[in-house]
Amino acid sequence: MAKKLVIKVTAGADAPERCSQAFTVAAVAAASGVEISLWLTGESAWFALPGRAAEFELPHAAPLPDLLESVLAAGSVTLCTQCAARRDIGEDDVLDGIRIAGAQVFVGEITKDDVQALVY
């Protein structure tokens, strides 16, 4: 079993089921004691901003703010540098605990031993 799980979520409100699946898997992994790193890229980048996760709706799915909060409490959440720049999102704009980092950091995380990476 991987000691760390890195999840890159590219979907947001444009693909709600895929987005919700990524956040759900991340939150369940965190609750199970797996070290989790959730990367927000593409349309999911918006969820790094205060209040944006609360706007997300998907019937029969756990509330996105709750899932995000549980991942932040037990793991790390990173917003893609380029995705942030394309949306004019800066360090001062994001929720507490979310960092902005780029591909070099992502590659560094996924190339370590005992790491499993998933992309949604």
Side-chain angles (χ1 to χ4, degrees):
M1 177 189 238
K3 292 184 180 181
K4 182 174 184 177
L5 181 60
V6 179
I7 297 176
K8 179 183 258 193
V9 56
T10 61
D14 59 325
E17 286 185 288
R18 194 160 34 107
C19 176
S20 180
Q21 289 170 359
F23 278 84
T24 299
V25 168
V28 168
S32 300
V34 175
E35 183 181 352
I36 185 73
S37 174
L38 179 66
W39 281 73
L40 305 177
T41 67
E43 286 303 298
S44 71
W46 294 114
F47 300 127
L49 297 174
R52 291 307 276 272
E55 297 173 4
F56 180 86
E57 292 184 15
L58 181 63
H60 310 290
L64 204 64
D66 295 348
L67 298 173
L68 180 56
E69 183 179 313
S70 68
V71 175
L72 279 167
S76 66
V77 178
T78 305
L79 172 58
C80 162
T81 302
Q82 291 180 8
C83 300
R86 280 191 281 275
R87 291 160 180 81
D88 291 323
I89 300 172
E91 295 272 348
D92 294 335
D93 300 319
V94 300
L95 293 164
D96 287 340
I98 295 181
R99 68 178 176 166
I100 298 177
Q104 181 179 3
V105 175
F106 179 77
V107 170
E109 284 190 18
I110 64 170
T111 55
K112 292 180 181 172
D113 290 337
D114 296 326
V115 171
Q116 177 71 44
L118 301 172
V119 177
Y120 285 89

